Amino acid sequence: MDFFLLLNCFLCLIFTLTILRFLLPRTPAGKLPPGPARLPIIGNLHNLGLKPHISLADLAKVHGPLMTLKLGQVTTIVASSPALAKEILQKHDKVLSDRHGILAMEVLDTHKFALPLLPVGPKWRNVRKVCNSYVFATQKLDLNQGLRREKIIEVLEGVRRNASEDLFVAGTDTTASSLEWAMAELLRNPDKLVKAKNELDEMIGKGNHLAESDIPQLPYLRAILKETFRLHPALPLLLPRKAGADVEINGFTVPKGARVLLNLWAIGRDPAIWDDPTSFVPERFLGSDVDAKGNYFELVTFGAGRRICPGMPLALRMLHMMLGSLIHWFDWKLSDGVEPEKLDMEEKFGIALQKAKPLLAIPTPI
Ligand code: HEM
């Protein structure tokens, strides 16, 4: 056989093996959780659609609360129950705390500075320590609350100047979109808005500004935000975690290197956990200990464990202060005579889960 024929055969063999590697499922070391059938090369990418949190919630109804999907070449495990949230965020937190890099950021070398993308290691630990001890510690936040108060008063004055015009209550980040969802739910449920207003009048008094120290005395306002987090988690699939080693969960294997997603949106709307899950009922949190601070796995809006959102203490203060102040200082109605029950609550999946149509509401100073 001449040399070129031999080379040709060798190249054909390499080509065939490469194609087979993409077409045939690789045998995992243990038993993977069940999941939908996949296509060659793209795996289950076509199952995600424009609203992956909803598609994954629907798939979980068929395949169960622990599923395997192949997103391109990445094995992805999706969990959708509080019990599994506890397994991932508490029991196996140490092994499931890594993150996958984002190629574009790696090319630009910016991943080395982004805390959410840093692998668990000395650098990540140092930045977290600085966040927890110097930036978001209760004592530090208490010390600079005057600055936030000034900013909120500036915002209120801005709203007052533009009163009776449409106020564009929008935003792209997690805190802004949570505020927008809370306002949208209150405008869609005017009786809840009146209840919140009455609580503020009673506890703070008309014409007085809200202080961060008032938040514990405002149970209905706190319940409104918890109910908003339940229905509209800003990061509906949390931030993806990466398995640092094989992990056994419920008799299945989460293989090393897998991407792990937790569907908070599905948990928040599960009728087995919540009565009347799609209705906005802040009352369900009155007299209940459940909070969103990482201890109750039915409401882990900020994650839990070692990767829990370090900005949570600041986000919670800002959200209560902004929402409380907007309710306390203005009467609100929807623009263009939109009926509350007809308000469009369509979602748009992005960095944070946003309202597809920004909320347009008209404030009238009280
Ligand atoms: C409503 C507002 C917010 C929500 C719902 C939210 C939610 C989250 C969630 C779910 C995670 C992933 C947790 C996990 O993997 O277990 C996270 C991580 C993170 N958040 Fe937030 N967040 C909010 C506001 C903020 C703010 C205001 C800041 C900073 C000023 C912030 C900074 C971060 C950082 C740096 C991480 C990455 C931590 C790490 O990977 O170690 N977040 N957040």
Side-chain angles (χ1 to χ4, degrees):
M1 206 186 286
D2 81 6
F3 173 74
F4 286 105
L5 188 61
L6 201 66
L7 185 68
N8 250 338
C9 291
F10 180 68
L11 289 176
C12 280
L13 184 71
I14 297 282
F15 180 73
T16 316
L17 286 176
T18 312
I19 294 286
L20 282 176
R21 186 174 168 274
F22 279 109
L23 292 182
L24 297 177
R26 260 173 290 166
T27 329
K31 190 174 152 205
L32 285 175
R38 50 185 89 130
L39 294 175
I41 301 174
I42 63 165
N44 298 105
L45 280 173
H46 64 294
N47 291 122
L48 295 183
L50 291 177
K51 293 178 191 155
H53 55 299
I54 301 182
S55 312
L56 292 173
D58 289 341
L59 285 172
K61 286 180 196 148
V62 180
H63 301 283
L66 196 64
M67 292 188 293
T68 308
L69 280 88
K70 201 86 172 171
L71 301 183
Q73 284 306 294
V74 183
T75 300
T76 303
I77 307 294
V78 187
S80 315
S81 77
L84 288 165
K86 192 170 177 182
E87 290 277 315
I88 291 167
L89 301 177
Q90 191 179 70
K91 188 167 169 198
H92 300 291
D93 183 39
K94 201 165 176 196
V95 188
L96 299 178
S97 272
D98 236 334
R99 304 260 197 232
H100 281 90
I102 295 179
L103 192 58
M105 291 183 82
E106 279 168 23
V107 169
L108 296 169
D109 224 25
T110 47
H111 65 296
K112 292 183 190 151
F113 312 102
L115 180 55
L117 298 180
L118 281 180
V120 170
K123 193 166 182 181
W124 171 79
R125 233 167 261 124
N126 272 342
V127 183
R128 292 273 324 190
K129 213 161 142 192
V130 170
C131 283
N132 294 340
S133 315
Y134 298 102
V135 188
F136 302 118
T138 307
Q139 218 187 2
K140 303 286 171 193
L141 288 176
D142 281 349
L143 281 176
N144 55 30
Q145 63 179 303
L147 291 174
R148 288 191 292 281
R149 194 182 153 96
E150 274 171 32
K151 277 286 150 207
I152 286 174
I153 294 175
E154 263 175 42
V155 171
L156 294 175
E157 277 161 6
V159 174
R160 207 169 287 130
R161 272 196 300 280
N162 297 313
S164 300
E165 286 173 26
D166 284 347
L167 180 74
F168 183 56
V169 190
T172 46
D173 75 325
T174 44
T175 314
S177 67
S178 301
L179 181 63
E180 185 180 22
W181 281 116
M183 282 298 288
E185 286 291 3
L186 289 174
L187 282 156
R188 205 161 68 117
N189 296 276
D191 54 320
K192 317 281 178 201
L193 182 55
V194 169
K195 259 177 119 167
K197 232 179 208 323
N198 289 344
E199 180 182 73
L200 285 156
D201 282 352
E202 235 168 76
M203 301 308 297
I204 312 299
K206 277 200 169 78
N208 294 329
H209 279 288
L210 207 67
E212 288 178 8
S213 54
D214 294 323
I215 298 171
Q217 278 78 55
L218 298 165
Y220 199 68
L221 182 68
R222 284 187 282 125
I224 287 171
L225 278 168
K226 287 179 198 173
E227 185 67 342
T228 305
F229 293 151
R230 179 184 74 80
L231 280 170
H232 310 286
L235 297 177
L237 299 173
L238 219 68
L239 289 182
R241 305 275 190 108
K242 179 180 162 188
D246 284 1
V247 179
E248 287 295 310
I249 297 182
N250 286 6
F252 295 109
T253 300
V254 175
K256 180 177 177 190
R259 178 184 285 144
V260 180
L261 302 177
L262 182 64
N263 195 341
L264 303 188
W265 188 92
I267 295 174
R269 291 170 186 243
D270 185 342
I273 307 168
W274 310 96
D275 285 339
D276 194 8
T278 53
S279 298
F280 185 77
V281 186
E283 288 74 8
R284 71 175 87 237
F285 288 107
L286 292 178
S288 136
D289 290 335
V290 173
D291 63 32
K293 297 180 183 171
N295 305 312
Y296 297 89
F297 293 90
E298 60 271 49
L299 194 71
V300 275
T301 322
F302 294 90
R306 49 175 50 201
R307 281 277 186 179
I308 192 172
C309 173
M312 176 180 72
L314 175 65
L316 286 175
R317 286 179 189 227
M318 282 307 291
L319 280 170
H320 287 94
M321 288 297 288
M322 282 301 300
L323 184 65
S325 301
L326 289 175
I327 297 171
H328 191 47
W329 286 92
F330 301 95
D331 280 329
W332 291 90
K333 65 174 188 208
L334 290 167
S335 72
D336 300 330
V338 174
E339 297 288 321
E341 61 278 11
K342 302 237 169 80
L343 180 61
D344 189 331
M345 298 293 274
E346 195 62 29
E347 302 167 333
K348 189 168 93 187
F349 188 86
I351 293 173
L353 189 64
Q354 290 171 35
K355 260 187 105 276
K357 289 205 183 121
L359 178 65
L360 292 174
I362 302 175
T364 311
I366 296 177

